[in-house]
Amino acid sequence: MGIFKKIAASYNRKRPFVAYVKPNESIISGFFLENDNIQHVKDYTNSGFVFAPFSQSEDAILFPSEQSEILNEPFYLNTDLSTKKTSLLAPSDASKAQHIKIISKAIEEIKKNTYSKIVISRCEEIKLQNFDVLSVFNSLLSNYRNAFVYVWFHPKVGLWLGATPETLLQVSEKSFKTMSLAGTQLYQKNKKPNWRNKELEEQRLVTNFIKNQLEPISNDLKVDDLETVRAGSLLHLRTKVNGKLKQNISLEKLIRAIHPTPAVCGLPREKSKDFILKNETYDRAFYTGFLGELNLTNQSSLKKSSLFVNLRCMSIHGKTARVYVGGGITKDSDPEKEWLETVAKTKTMKNVL
């Protein structure tokens, strides 16, 4: 049975599964389980597929390798879906007012020098008609080839789909790669992007945080030059970082050093997280958490992990989709522009519904 038929069968039978394609790759992979017990990551020495929430105080869910049917097969792009046009539903005025209110409060706090940056997000609910999990997953795959595209399901947790442009970590034994990603603007063909000081400063804050967190636990740390990357209809600023873990440093310590990054939380990290939990009007759950392969053994017998930040995602609840979106707030932020940025980001998910 192929992966797409396996997805449909597992979803109909209410069995846990995940299927995914890594950025710019042509292999689709899947973990399929018969046991619907919720299993958690203990210390990140397990092997399998991890699905972790935003809050580090909450447990990450594991689909263990030894209990999963793991499939890998070639993936061929369905070009018929990539040109599909849809009419997008506009968010409500009440949603806009609430989001701008929280952003304005964040800017006030930042100007008091309490914070350098706070990431404010929101959840937008969309009523669904004739939702089909395979159609939406196929549409994501067709439209977002340079993202980590996935569908994840557990009958006791729910259904999530996404197309995230941000790598949290790529780890092979003691070598690792990560990135800082910040700033957003719409992609316009044949037009050179013009990045504002606000976006450049936001990117600098994220990069410096990652560098400072990694220097005590790694050797040979290298920070690449700033670049612009495209994710669907959006552009972002990105800085790649790589190095090697010191001998006594575990994968768990590496993950806890950088998650959540300032790109999804803020600076200082713990104070920003407290602000988010007190002021955002919903539970982020797995949005701005991370997901991916954990300690899988390759053909060279090396353990490799590929983890991605859970951005550009949605969860499905009956006949309602919850689309999650946010943006980094600094002292130079304009609440109206920040709102419009979130509206642009929701198009990633709305276009496939």
Side-chain angles (χ1 to χ4, degrees), residues 70-135:
I70 302 175
L71 301 178
N72 297 283
E73 62 184 45
F75 165 68
Y76 302 100
L77 179 63
N78 186 343
T79 54
D80 292 340
L81 289 170
S82 61
T83 57
K84 184 176 69 175
K85 301 293 182 182
T86 57
S87 58
L88 303 181
L89 296 172
S92 68
D93 291 339
S95 175
K96 178 180 179 179
Q98 177 66 28
H99 194 64
I100 285 180
K101 180 180 177 181
I102 300 171
I103 290 172
S104 299
K105 184 176 181 181
I107 293 171
E108 286 179 19
E109 292 298 323
I110 292 167
K111 286 182 176 178
K112 293 177 186 176
N113 293 321
T114 310
Y115 308 87
S116 301
K117 171 187 175 178
I118 308 173
V119 177
I120 301 299
S121 69
R122 64 185 178 89
C123 172
E124 190 173 324
E125 294 196 345
I126 300 168
K127 294 301 179 184
L128 301 174
Q129 293 181 341
N130 303 319
F131 173 81
D132 179 76
V133 65
L134 279 182
S135 294

Side-chain angles (χ1 to χ4, degrees), residues 277-290:
L277 295 175
K278 288 175 183 175
N279 291 278
E280 284 187 350
T281 55
Y282 78 105
D283 178 11
R284 287 191 182 188
F286 295 95
Y287 169 61
T288 62
F290 63 88

Side-chain angles (χ1 to χ4, degrees), residues 44-71:
Y44 288 91
T45 59
N46 320 72
S47 173
F49 191 97
V50 62
F51 197 53
F54 165 66
S55 176
Q56 285 189 328
S57 62
E58 298 175 17
D59 291 328
I61 297 174
L62 180 73
F63 290 172
S65 293
E66 67 272 14
Q67 297 177 28
S68 304
E69 180 184 359
I70 302 175
L71 301 178

Side-chain angles (χ1 to χ4, degrees), residues 48-325:
F49 191 97
V50 62
F51 197 53
F54 165 66
S55 176
Q56 285 189 328
S57 62
E58 298 175 17
D59 291 328
I61 297 174
L62 180 73
F63 290 172
S65 293
E66 67 272 14
Q67 297 177 28
S68 304
E69 180 184 359
I70 302 175
L71 301 178
N72 297 283
E73 62 184 45
F75 165 68
Y76 302 100
L77 179 63
N78 186 343
T79 54
D80 292 340
L81 289 170
S82 61
T83 57
K84 184 176 69 175
K85 301 293 182 182
T86 57
S87 58
L88 303 181
L89 296 172
S92 68
D93 291 339
S95 175
K96 178 180 179 179
Q98 177 66 28
H99 194 64
I100 285 180
K101 180 180 177 181
I102 300 171
I103 290 172
S104 299
K105 184 176 181 181
I107 293 171
E108 286 179 19
E109 292 298 323
I110 292 167
K111 286 182 176 178
K112 293 177 186 176
N113 293 321
T114 310
Y115 308 87
S116 301
K117 171 187 175 178
I118 308 173
V119 177
I120 301 299
S121 69
R122 64 185 178 89
C123 172
E124 190 173 324
E125 294 196 345
I126 300 168
K127 294 301 179 184
L128 301 174
Q129 293 181 341
N130 303 319
F131 173 81
D132 179 76
V133 65
L134 279 182
S135 294
V136 175
F137 183 46
N138 259 313
S139 190
L140 282 170
L141 290 169
S142 298
N143 284 283
Y144 302 102
R145 296 291 292 136
N146 57 352
F148 179 83
V149 178
Y150 76 91
V151 53
W152 184 97
F153 175 72
H154 194 293
K156 296 177 180 176
V157 180
L159 175 66
W160 286 73
L161 302 100
T164 175
E166 183 169 357
T167 298
L168 180 71
L169 281 168
Q170 301 280 353
V171 185
S172 178
E173 295 295 335
K174 287 292 183 178
S175 298
F176 68 84
K177 297 178 182 178
T178 185
M179 67 170 65
S180 63
L181 193 79
T184 302
Q185 63 178 264
L186 285 171
Y187 167 74
Q188 298 180 58
K189 191 175 182 179
N190 300 323
K191 185 175 180 181
K192 187 177 180 180
N194 180 29
W195 295 105
R196 299 171 296 168
N197 287 335
K198 179 260 175 187
E199 295 151 340
L200 293 168
E201 172 66 9
E202 185 183 350
Q203 173 67 7
R204 186 186 67 80
L205 289 171
V206 177
T207 302
N208 286 347
F209 168 84
I210 291 175
K211 181 181 176 183
N212 291 337
Q213 290 291 99
L214 292 177
E215 280 181 337
I217 63 173
S218 65
N219 298 314
D220 304 323
L221 195 67
K222 180 183 176 185
V223 180
D224 288 355
D225 292 334
L226 182 64
E227 60 183 344
T228 298
V229 293
R230 181 181 172 187
S233 61
L234 301 176
L235 297 175
H236 303 286
L237 289 166
R238 180 177 73 182
T239 304
K240 294 180 181 178
V241 181
N242 63 78
K244 293 183 178 180
L245 288 177
K246 291 181 178 178
Q247 198 60 39
N248 61 336
I249 301 299
S250 65
L251 176 58
E252 180 180 19
K253 189 163 186 176
L254 174 61
I255 290 170
R256 296 197 181 281
I258 65 171
H259 171 73
T261 72
V264 300
C265 185
L267 284 171
R269 181 163 68 177
E270 291 306 313
K271 290 182 72 174
S272 298
K273 183 179 172 184
D274 289 343
F275 183 95
I276 288 166
L277 295 175
K278 288 175 183 175
N279 291 278
E280 284 187 350
T281 55
Y282 78 105
D283 178 11
R284 287 191 182 188
F286 295 95
Y287 169 61
T288 62
F290 63 88
L291 72 164
E293 299 170 344
L294 185 65
N295 296 317
L296 298 191
T297 304
N298 67 6
Q299 293 177 339
S300 303
S301 297
L302 294 174
K303 286 186 177 179
K304 303 189 78 170
S305 299
S306 297
L307 306 176
F308 297 83
V309 182
N310 196 18
L311 303 175
R312 311 292 187 276
C313 62
M314 60 181 159
S315 57
I316 308 298
H317 306 265
K319 293 186 177 181
T320 302
R322 293 178 186 166
V323 175
Y324 302 88
V325 64

